[in-house]
Structures are given as structure tokens and as C-alpha cells.
Amino acid sequence: MAPLLLPSSPIHSFPATPKLSFRSKPRPIIRAAAGLEVDSFTKKSGYLFQLSAFEAESLLDYSPSRIAAIYRRKPLILLRRLIQVGTTFGKWFGVRYIDNLMERSDQMFKVRAAELRKILVELGPAYIKIAQAVSSRPDLIPPSYLDELSLLQDRITPFSTEVALDTIEKELGLRIDELFSEISPEPVAAASLGQVYQARLRRSGQVVAVKVQRPGVQAAISLDILILRFLAGVVKKAGKFNTDLQAVIDEWASSLFREMDYRKEADNGLKFRRLYGGLKDVFVPNINMEHTTRRVLVMEWVEGQKLSEVKDLYLVEVGVYCSFNQLLENGFYHADPHPGNLFRTFDGKLAYIDFGMMGEFKQEFREGFIEACLHLVNRDFDALSKDFVTLGLLPPTAEKEAVTKALTGVFQDAVAKGVRNISFGDLLGNLGTTMYKFKFQIPSYFSLVIRSLAVLEGIAISSDPNYKVLGSTYPWIAKKVLTDSSPQLKSSLQALLYKDGAFRIDRLESLLTESLRARTEKALVKIQREEANSRVVFKEILYFTLTEKGSFVREILIEEFAKGLDALGLATLDSLTSVATTRIPFTGSSVSFMSKEDMINLRTFHRLMLLLAGLESNKKSFEEVNGIGNPNNNQSAYLEESSLLSYQPALVSEILAMLSIIPELPPELQQQLLRLPADLARRLISRASARTIQRIFL
């Protein structure tokens, strides 16, 4: 349930931000609240509350067999609900059809959107939860419907306060006036599963949010899930889907049932606070475990506004970073980050609330997801098809070549403009047809992950229509691939950077450049946007490569530098030999000591030097003038090596200027840097010796 934060504007409150009121006895509050209008869900589905105590207890945990057993003994209730749902939606779709026939769809659009919201409220929590899942996608939902569905996040009619206060007393075993010195006479906010009151604890004086569960909610949701599971089975057979749709429903239902047990939500909140509460500009309220039961939850009260309404792009970036940590670092993630659950506190922090719907992302799937993002960005669609097998989206028996061809057609245009312009929503939309054709299966865990990312992008789009969540997440993915100690990710990095033994400097350059964008501190955002200070670039790369986390990349760089310096020595020897032969009459043309591999190593060496120096513009102009890096270039090896040598003085000058940064490094990193020349020298001697032996004996 979303809103545990006191809104700063009356438009967000229900019906207005209530003031705390002192009540010496609970009963006057109850009598005053008894006149509240009964909510439409209770009116329409009240018969569902007539379950026995044994039946209600059996629904504490999700079990399709137990749910089926209960309602098998209540066929009239099941039939009545089927008729209720069918006729309710049937009438609405019928009216929409008539609007189309009478050509008044546009005029009636807002009216029908409001009617749909009322229908969902009447049908209850299961349908509200489904609607909330799509209400955060302004790029997919028409504005009128979006406005109405967004009200389902915290603007639902509350149930009786008399019932709520009775529930609190029954669950906690104390009178209201013994628990609280003050409590709001009306709920601050109401949602599908419960509603929130603001109160002050009598013992400590702390202001808290008290969440009380809506009566009969488990019975209602259980019945609707039973119906949805049946429909999922019918759709799977009729559409010949490879995905087990009932398993997807079960995963969602299991998460929903855990959300209805506030003790589990409290445990989730404490774990979430422990893992992510220390991140910069992230706030996670504390849970009061002493006053939390299955149907009542008490937690710290926080002042703030909805993130979607303040349009704070910096906090959106903080949210992306926090989501990266949730999904790809710890695997424990918030599976319901809709706008009602993300707030900007008045001191400028991103607050997470409502920890009922959480997900677990296993290590092997996290690594598979990272690899899939890498291969997508680098357009390695053959490897991407294998990633889909790892993630469980494709069976191992799938025809890889056909899948690769299809994925190339789907994603080629999406990634053509670069990683920063890839839309997560577009990727999902374009993938739909291909998934159906090749009988993709959606693992039950994956639906919550996809929903979490899609909702996050939807929130971001409301602040910035051009925002791309994958483009903002990729820097963290690049940084993780470069620094992670996982053997699988190291192997992926090796495969990404080398093809047929050739080092692909452009991919390392891309990874390093993107990883430097992985910042959240406000002071660094300005540096990130300017991207013009070569000293900053060089210093960042030095810090990274000299630390323990950068050891794997450091080994690759030292090896490539050794190859490059070796090739540079040969190029210098070629140049001196060429000069000598031109000055000595009657001598033939000089013989080059350089092989094709040496020329490639020399170009790679210069690219590395330019990368470290941050000379992107110089590198571009240099390559445009000399044609270096163009596979179709027919210039002679001599022209290439002479061009490279002529450029060397300017490059050396830039690198020497960068060396002034070294004293700014911590002592331990300076010591690590001093050890590099010896290591580099050993590799050079090894290469020279191997080449000499090869030329003597071969």
C-alpha cells in the first residue's frame, strides 16, 4: 500500500490532510466515524467476508489447491463472481463499442476512463493491482486513462474507521488510547489492501503511520486469482503459448499474498533499509516491529511529495542507481515501485515506502541479465540468443540461427542510435511478435523484474519524455562488468574485448567511457555533463585500473601496452632503416620488420594512449586525416607507421601533462603504479625473445 507520507498539498490527501487529534478514549472516535459511507468494494463484495475462521486461516499463505478446495464448496459464490465480473466488463466494452458506432469515442473518452476506474474499484484489490501495474506507463496508456488509473494508487474510498480501530485493538491487544496519545480521525490515504492513519505513540511520542488491512481482502483476492488462473489455462491452450501463464499468475499471486501479511512486509522493510538505506540520498523509514502484526503495521512517518509530481531528475537518477543495486548487486528488489511508493522528502532525498511486494533475483540470472545488456548494446545478437537460453526465456532446443536473425531484425534499429537512446518500452514492444513466433517462455521470476524496470521508466518519462532507463542503467552495468570478480562476467568481458585473438579497443573504450557516467553525487553530475576535462578522465581511469577491482582490466591493458610498445619499437626500426636506405645510393628498398599483427597492435597502442589522455577530438581528427582504423583503407604500411610516428610528439606531450596527476593519488595507488614499469618490461622482453627465437628457427 503506497502512501505512508503526508502530502504537502491538499490535492494528494484524503479528503484533506488531517490534523492529529487527542482522544482520551477510543470509543468517541469510533462513534464519530461510524457515519462514514461504506466503500463501493465492500458494498459489492461483502458476501465474501462470510468465510469461517478455519477457511480464513487456510488463506494466510498462497496455495491454489486450498483456494480451489474452499470455493469448490461455494459454487454459488464462484458463479456469482463470474457473472459479476463478466457483466461489469461486458457492459463497459459494450458502451465503448456503441461509442465507436456512433462516432463519439473521442468525446466520451474521459467519461469512459472515469467509468473504468469506478469499475475497478468495485471489483476489488486484484483488479486494482493489475491496473496499478499499467498506470505508470505514460508512453503506453492514453492520458485520460492514465489520469484516472493513477488515482488508484492512493485515492480509493476508505472502509469504516470504526472497523479499522477495532482491527487495531484486536491485533495489538490494547485499547487505542493505551497505544496512541493522538490519532487522525480519518485515514490519511486509502488503497486496495488497506488504509493509513497518522498517530503519535503514547510511550515514545514518535509520530508514526499506522496501516490497517482492509477486511475480507484475502477472500476477495483468492477468488479472483482462482478465476484468473482458470482463464490463463484457457488462453495458454487456445493461443498455444509456450509460457506457463498459470505459473506467471502464481508468482504474482504469491507476491500479493506476502504483501497481505504485514509481518513479512515489516521484515522486507528492515532488510531493504539494511541493504539500501545507506545509499546517498536514499531514505528508508524504520519499522516499529513491536506494534506490527499480520493486519496492522506501524512505521516511521515521513514528510514528502510524490516523485512523479516534483519532476526531480536527479532523484530519478538516484532511483535508477538504487534499482541497479537492488537488481544486479544484491538481488533483493522492490517489485512495485509505482509513483505512490516513491517520494521526495522535504530534505531532498528519495524515500521508498511499502515493502509488501518484493522480489528475489538469483545470481545466475543477474549475471545473465548483465551479459544480455552487454550483447544488446554491442549488437552481438548471436550471443544474445544464448543469453535468452540462460535466462530461461528460450528452451535449449531453440534454433539459434533463426532466433539470431529475428533478434537482429527486432533490435537493430533500437540500438542504432546508441545505448543512451535505447527505450526499455520500445524493446519490449518490438520483441512481442518474435517471442510469440519462437514460443518464448516467460519465467515466473522474470515478470516482476520486467515490471519493476518498466514502471521505473514510466515514472522517469513523466519527468522527462526522452528519458531512457536502460541508457541510465548501462553505466552501472559497464562498471560492474569491469570490476566484478565473478568468473562468468570475467569470461564475458574477455569474449567481448577479443575476437579471433584481436583486441577490440573500441569496446573497452565504450565500457570505460560509460562506466565514468555511473555517478549519483550532485557535485559530479556537472562534471559528467561537461565531459571535457581530460585530467578528470585520466584520474578516474587511473583510480579504477590501480585498485583491486580493476585488476582484471589492468592485466589486459598491460598486455596490450606491451604489444603496442613492441610494435612501436619495430616501427621506429623500420623508419630508421628506411631513412638509411634512401641516403645510401644503389641500395634496394628496405624490408619492413612489421607484420600485419604489429600494425594492428600499433594502432591499438595509440588508441589506448589517446583514451588515457582523454583526446577524443584529437583522435577523431587524426584518424580522419590519416585514414587509420578504416578496414577499406589501401594506404601502405609505411604511410601508416610514419603518420603514427609523426603524431607521437604531441601525444607524448599530452601524456606528460597527465602525469602531473600522479602525486594526487593515494600512497597505495602510487606504489601500485611504480610496480607497473617492471611488469611491462618483463612482458616486452618476453615478446622480443619469442620473436627472435621464432625468426632464427623458422
Side-chain angles (χ1 to χ4, degrees), residues 216-416:
V217 70
Q218 281 187 302
I221 286 179
S222 299
L223 179 56
D224 286 329
I225 287 173
L226 182 66
I227 295 171
L228 289 172
R229 285 190 90 254
F230 171 75
L231 293 177
V234 172
V235 171
K236 184 179 185 298
K237 290 180 180 178
K240 298 180 180 180
F241 288 99
N242 198 36
T243 297
D244 188 348
L245 296 179
Q246 288 185 328
V248 174
I249 294 291
D250 287 339
E251 178 70 15
W252 172 72
S254 297
S255 180
L256 195 54
F257 264 67
R258 290 192 295 270
E259 188 176 0
M260 287 186 286
D261 187 341
Y262 289 170
R263 295 168 301 187
K264 293 179 181 178
E265 178 177 348
D267 290 337
N268 289 338
L270 292 176
K271 182 177 180 180
F272 196 89
R273 179 183 172 91
R274 186 180 73 252
L275 291 175
Y276 314 115
L279 296 179
K280 183 175 176 59
D281 292 328
V282 172
F283 179 80
V284 182
N286 198 17
I287 310 291
N288 188 313
M289 297 297 293
E290 181 183 357
H291 296 106
T292 293
T293 68
R294 186 175 65 84
R295 298 178 61 198
V296 173
L297 185 145
V298 177
M299 68 191 305
E300 180 181 0
W301 182 275
V302 186
E303 301 283 349
Q305 295 174 279
K306 282 185 182 180
L307 180 62
S308 59
E309 294 175 352
V310 295
K311 300 188 183 302
D312 190 328
L313 289 178
Y314 168 70
L315 284 189
V316 170
E317 290 287 346
V318 171
V320 169
Y321 172 61
C322 188
S323 294
F324 164 81
N325 273 272
Q326 293 171 43
L327 287 171
L328 304 181
E329 287 289 347
N330 298 297
F332 182 70
Y333 65 94
H334 200 300
D336 192 27
H338 65 71
N341 289 337
L342 294 174
F343 281 75
R344 182 189 187 279
T345 64
F346 291 145
D347 59 351
K349 293 185 178 181
L350 176 66
Y352 283 81
I353 59 174
D354 185 5
F355 308 103
M357 189 174 287
M358 311 297 287
E360 296 279 353
F361 206 15
K362 294 181 180 179
Q363 180 68 29
E364 60 267 29
F365 294 137
R366 300 205 300 264
E367 293 177 349
F369 185 82
I370 290 172
E371 290 178 312
C373 290
L374 277 178
H375 295 143
L376 172 66
V377 170
N378 289 281
R379 309 182 195 184
D380 191 346
F381 299 114
D382 181 53
L384 185 61
S385 65
K386 297 176 183 176
D387 295 332
F388 283 176
V389 174
T390 302
L391 290 169
L393 297 170
L394 275 174
T397 55
E399 188 179 350
K400 303 296 189 302
E401 291 185 5
V403 172
T404 299
K405 184 178 180 181
L407 292 178
T408 302
V410 169
F411 292 140
Q412 190 72 45
D413 292 338
V415 300

Side-chain angles (χ1 to χ4, degrees), residues 514-631:
E514 288 297 323
S515 68
L516 294 181
R517 292 202 300 126
R519 303 180 174 107
T520 57
E521 291 87 349
K522 293 179 181 179
L524 292 177
V525 171
K526 184 177 180 181
I527 296 175
Q528 173 185 328
R529 289 172 180 170
E530 291 174 354
E531 295 181 349
N533 192 331
S534 57
R535 282 178 57 86
V536 172
V537 174
F538 184 63
K539 190 174 181 179
E540 290 277 352
I541 294 176
L542 271 184
Y543 263 102
F544 164 65
T545 54
L546 294 176
T547 58
E548 182 62 28
K549 286 188 175 182
S551 60
F552 186 68
V553 175
R554 183 170 67 243
E555 288 297 310
I556 292 176
L557 288 174
I558 292 174
E559 182 63 26
E560 294 304 320
F561 264 107
K563 292 179 182 179
L565 287 172
D566 182 50
L568 182 62
L570 293 176
T572 303
L573 184 60
D574 270 6
S575 180
L576 294 174
T577 303
S578 175
V579 171
T581 54
T582 56
R583 294 183 178 181
I584 301 175
F586 310 111
T587 57
S589 59
S590 61
V591 178
S592 175
F593 293 97
M594 298 187 69
S595 64
K596 183 178 180 180
E597 180 183 351
D598 291 326
M599 286 302 306
I600 293 174
N601 290 338
L602 185 59
R603 286 197 297 268
T604 299
F605 174 69
H606 279 77
R607 288 283 297 274
L608 283 171
M609 299 288 277
L610 289 164
L611 174 62
L612 290 177
L615 302 177
E616 298 302 315
S617 58
N618 289 340
K619 178 193 71 175
K620 182 177 179 181
S621 60
F622 167 65
E623 293 184 352
E624 285 176 352
V625 171
N626 295 291
I628 295 173
N630 183 356

Side-chain angles (χ1 to χ4, degrees), residues 165-190:
L165 297 182
D166 279 341
T167 299
I168 295 172
E169 291 186 332
K170 181 178 179 181
E171 289 287 315
L172 299 181
L174 293 170
R175 290 165 55 91
I176 292 294
D177 60 339
E178 293 176 311
L179 290 166
F180 309 115
S181 58
E182 299 172 288
I183 189 167
S184 55
E186 296 177 358
V188 175

Side-chain angles (χ1 to χ4, degrees), residues 408-429:
T408 302
V410 169
F411 292 140
Q412 190 72 45
D413 292 338
V415 300
K417 296 180 181 179
V419 62
R420 302 183 194 187
N421 296 303
I422 298 177
S423 167
F424 186 76
D426 289 346
L427 290 181
L428 291 180

Side-chain angles (χ1 to χ4, degrees), residues 66 144 211 265 302 552 562 651:
R66 286 203 297 267
S144 296
K211 182 158 68 168
E265 178 177 348
V302 186
F552 186 68
L651 182 60

